[in-house]
Amino acid sequence: MTKVTLKVEGMSCGHCVNAVETAVKQAGAVGTVDLASGTVTIEYDENAVTLEQLKQAIEDQGYDVV
């Protein structure tokens, strides 16, 4: 398993947390959002999903991965 923390802009509430965590889960990984720091920590299997796919899943929800 690979673990990475990404900075995500545009999150401001519980709905945002749920949207990002659900997008990451649907992409095949486990994500935990820290709303205070504006980050999501993701654990994923590099053989199942790429980091780019995870970033795209988050961006598809309307947030910016920086």
Side-chain angles (χ1 to χ4, degrees), residues 7-54:
K7 179 79 173 163
V8 180
E9 292 183 343
M11 298 186 300
S12 62
C13 64
H15 169 76
C16 300
V17 170
N18 289 336
V20 170
E21 289 180 350
T22 299
V24 169
K25 183 176 181 179
Q26 289 176 342
V30 176
T32 304
V33 171
D34 182 339
L35 193 56
S37 66
T39 61
V40 58
T41 301
I42 303 172
E43 290 188 51
Y44 66 102
D45 180 351
E46 290 180 314
N47 296 317
V49 63
T50 67
L51 182 57
E52 288 304 313
Q53 288 172 316
L54 294 167

